[in-house]
Amino acid sequence: MKSEGRIDILIIGDATTGSGVSETLIGKGFRVARADVEGYSHRSRVGGAIVVQAGERGPEFEALGLEPGNRVVALSDFLEALPDIQPFDKSGGPAPLVVFLLGLAGESSCRATRDALAASSVLLDDLGRRVAMLYGNLKVSAAGLEAEVREARRKGALLLRFSSARPTFVRNGEGRPAVECLDEASRRRLILHPDWIVKDEILRAGPGDLERAARLGAEPGPDGFLPSDNVYRFGLETNRRGILGIIPDADPLGRDTLEDDLAAAMLEMRALDRFDSWAPDRVAVIDPGLCARCLTCHRSCPHGAVAVGERIEIVPQACFACGICEAACPAKAITLRERDPEKGPLEAVPRPVLLDIRPGDLVTFGCRRSAERARALCGHLGAGRPADLVFVPVDCAGRISREMLMDAFLQDASGVLVLTCHPGNCHAEKGNLQARSRVGEVRRFLEEAGLNPERVRFNTLAANMGVEFGRMVREFKAELDQR
Amino acid sequence: MAEPNVLIIGGGMAGLTAALELARFEVRSNVVESSPFAGGQAIGFSCKATSACVRCGACLAEDRLQSAVESPEIRILPSSRLLELSRSNGPFSAVVLRSPRVVDPDLCTGCGRCVDVCPEEAVRRAPSPYNRPPLAVDLDRCARFAGGDCTACVDACPESALAFDRGEERLALEPHALILASGFHVFDPREKPYGYGEMEDVITNLELERMLREKGGLVRPSDGSPPGRIAFIQCVGSRDERLGHLWCSRVCCGSAPRTARRLRFLEPELDVTVFYIDIQTFGRDFESAWNELRREFRFIRAVPADAVPTENRRVRLSYFDPETGSPDSLDVDLLVLSVGITPGRDLAGTSALLGLRRGADGFVEAGDSGNPPAGVTAPGTVLGPMGILDAVKSGKASAWRTLENLGMV
């Protein structure tokens, strides 16, 4: 299943050197090209792109009121200076003190804890120094760190914990800062006169990371880095299929994750390589005869799958068949189609239809990932739902159109309930929000028609909310019955 | 190699993800699950969303389980364990022992009549409707397996899905690769002085998850009343030198605040206190979220000394307040213990069978040369504590390494 003469992966990003990402991929038989972000096109036959992000790591001294210089340094700078520090001659008075500041301003990391512990070990064992670690939240979740912290304490490192108060820094006569603080354990005020003050560095996304994500049409997480924070992207993927984000230098959960990230990325890329014989089995197709080039689909597609050229086309590799464009297209030019692996798009996927509605029924449209599973759990738990509930599952709530909702009322449904994933949890990013807008439109329409707008309702839930599913349906049913 | 197949030990998030990813490459797998129900710990969890998703990942358990159960490439073997394993030059030879299957998964509809009639309360309902079968008989509780002749469940079943004449089964398999994803063991908080097992209103975070999932809200187990004030104690069984547990369980700093927010979302007046040592990472919005959380809830940086019942049936926690520098106490209506992740009870035996080395903490060591041995990978919490999303990613990485072992990529 080696690739056949096409580029598998583009490596985009500023952390490619040193991280070994492309070397690893090449070593595993992938064809790799490096590109700037301009070199990436949604429409190219590229298997995908791995965005390698470096971010920016800074000590952010000002957050603690510290001035850098004069032996007030960032942790990585101290590690570089460490080999040049000479052993202290004990006859020359009390040993100089090195103070490490960890997690006192900004989120620290297990990497910082590990680096500080390694430096402390050298300072204490080989260089005759004293060590104090002043910490806010000490990050110890990486394997072995908790034991290492205790070992440092046994060796004589002074560990001082800060919960809400922070140490303050004052310059003494020689221009060197002294540290004033209250020791939480002993309740004593301490003044330390360190030889070095070493602060941990905070990792943040830089402007380059943000710009790159924006140009690729991939949504970053709340920290500004790719991948997306949506749980269905598994901490690796983005809303654009085939664009993966990794941060070689980060330890978001205290683990050295690069090896696993890369293995998972290679798996995804190889699976996409097999795309033509595998998935998706459905794809949206634009009828060029009906398309008015209004670009509604381009704007509404959450997956960056609508390419604008001489014709407006859907890139099948990127299409998740959520149906958002189909529901949004004013010209009705888009249909979801089953996809034959040999011949491409074939039959249209029928829009969900309502069967056997009796007047007065409550019709519930629900996303397969959340509502349909919650409904199954509701039944399993015996959490009760009315017998006259008509449930219409949809692959994504984004496919629910105004017509589908109105159709239920035309068939004399007593009410229409639309159940989707919670905001931020939609597999298609915003299918749930689209459905909410459709419900809003139908509410207004009912109102204008002199009907009660409360007959249509929108709620969100998750697959594991069986009890809540029952409650939502029962409550709505009870309200409808009161009218 | 014709029709490669993989043996996966453990049907939790890592194992099921590995199986699903292998299925994308048309590689079949047998998933050996020791409990009657696949889905791991996570399948008993609840959604923590407030007005929006908070990225706990619990919904992925339903997603993984349903997809795996419906996949033609995946066979899940519940109530089973790996008994023997050997290897010559070709594939492995494995013997899997399956406990007697009282409930026929093809016939059971999950109606639950057997649950209602069982005098020993031995019939358990699966955590998820996607478990096959959705009901199982706990052989340790069933009178029949203690030598009795009760047939209440068999008689009650309208589908004739229950039978006691199906014995233990030995399945001989010839997998080309193995994945050890047998997960973790939940720390037993009876080892700590917090009254767990003695006071009904002291529960674990996992019991709280199940309560939210099955009841949709929070009540005191003792009297069914809604609590006005609750507390979480973090690091119960983790970061504990006396227990020899020199590790952080990594997930509790995320789950306790998320759960607290969910509870507050359901009950805006709920008073929540969290006792903690250090807050580890809980999400990609850490800094802003941490500042908000400290305004929303009371965070006390202390490990309480003990928990005792009060005269009016509350739970009294004694602790040393670092802000005032003096001993203090707090009475709560419900105490939640964030219990630690410890190595699986059978991990020593299974890892030895597979030739995997374990570290001083008891978890499998990742990545050293020669560990894991050829054809074997070990994802998920057998490596150490991790949350749902990390276990999923670990399962994907494991699937890739397995495909490499099979020469397929």
Side-chain angles (χ1 to χ4, degrees), chain A residues 1-2 28 30 60 105-108 110 135-147 150 154 161-166 184-185 187 202 204 220-237 247 251-255 257 259-264 266-268 270-272 274 277-278 368-369 372-374 376-382 422-425 460-468 471, chain B residues 21-26 42-43 45-60 62-64 66-67 110 125-131 134-135 212-217 239-241 245-250 262 266 276-287 290 294 301-302 320-326 361 367 383 385-387 389-401 403-404 408-409:
Chain A
M1 211 171 315
K2 301 286 183 212
K28 299 292 184 188
F30 285 93
E60 303 182 6
E107 188 185 12
S108 193
C110 287
Y135 65 94
N137 277 317
L138 189 65
K139 303 289 177 172
V140 293
S141 63
L145 273 188
E146 177 73 19
R150 286 166 200 269
R154 260 190 295 276
R161 182 184 84 168
F162 295 84
S163 296
S164 44
R166 288 289 176 263
E184 277 185 13
R187 312 301 300 170
I202 313 302
R204 297 188 195 282
D223 53 3
F225 288 113
L226 298 176
S228 148
D229 203 25
N230 184 320
V231 295
Y232 286 105
R233 311 290 173 239
F234 310 112
L236 178 71
E237 301 165 33
I247 315 161
D251 53 359
L253 281 160
R255 234 154 27 93
T257 51
E259 248 184 65
D260 273 10
D261 282 3
L262 264 179
M266 289 188 282
L267 180 85
E268 190 60 26
R270 200 53 100 207
L272 294 179
R274 295 164 55 96
S277 62
W278 182 67
R368 276 191 206 281
R369 281 194 175 74
E372 191 178 35
R373 288 170 173 161
L377 180 59
C378 177
H380 180 70
L381 293 170
H422 293 296
N425 187 259
T460 64
L461 80 183
N464 45 20
M465 288 187 154
V467 179
E468 289 81 354
R471 198 182 290 153
Chain B
E21 294 296 337
L22 291 170
R24 287 171 85 181
F25 290 80
E26 288 152 8
I43 199 65
F45 289 1
S46 62
C47 175
K48 321 293 182 309
T50 51
S51 54
C53 172
V54 295
R55 328 291 184 193
C56 74
C59 53
L60 291 178
E62 245 76 17
D63 180 73
R64 307 277 91 180
Q66 186 190 9
S67 307
R125 199 179 277 283
S128 163
Y130 300 109
N131 285 110
L135 297 162
L212 288 173
R213 182 184 170 97
E214 290 165 15
K215 310 282 179 223
R239 303 189 68 182
D240 190 323
E241 193 150 36
H245 293 183
L246 290 182
W247 62 82
C248 156
S249 285
R250 198 178 275 163
R262 171 75 191 159
L266 294 170
Y276 75 105
I277 302 177
D278 291 285
I279 295 293
Q280 306 297 316
T281 295
F282 49 72
R284 291 171 63 185
D285 55 348
F286 179 90
E287 281 190 61
W290 175 226
R294 278 188 290 188
R301 198 170 194 178
F320 183 86
D321 190 328
E323 303 290 328
T324 61
S326 53
D361 52 12
L383 297 171
M386 64 177 81
L389 280 162
D390 263 12
V392 166
K393 204 197 274 183
S394 183
K396 284 173 179 266
S398 172
W400 169 259
R401 290 173 189 134
L403 291 169
E404 278 192 305
M408 290 187 63
V409 287

Side-chain angles (χ1 to χ4, degrees), chain A residues 195 225 231 294 313 337 375 392 423:
Chain A
D195 188 29
F225 288 113
V231 295
C294 67
E313 283 181 290
R337 290 178 179 269
R375 174 173 176 262
V392 185

Side-chain angles (χ1 to χ4, degrees), chain A residues 24-80:
Chain A
T24 303
L25 292 168
I26 291 164
K28 299 292 184 188
F30 285 93
R31 287 182 48 133
V32 171
R34 287 192 192 177
D36 206 347
V37 65
E38 287 84 2
Y40 183 86
S41 157
H42 283 188
R43 306 200 54 200
S44 60
R45 288 285 298 162
V46 162
I50 296 181
V51 186
V52 189
Q53 299 152 108
E56 290 177 358
R57 219 177 260 279
E60 303 182 6
F61 291 112
E62 64 288 351
L64 282 175
L66 264 171
E67 265 178 58
N70 207 2
R71 294 201 172 173
V72 175
V73 296
L75 179 53
S76 59
D77 292 334
F78 183 72
L79 294 177
E80 276 184 34

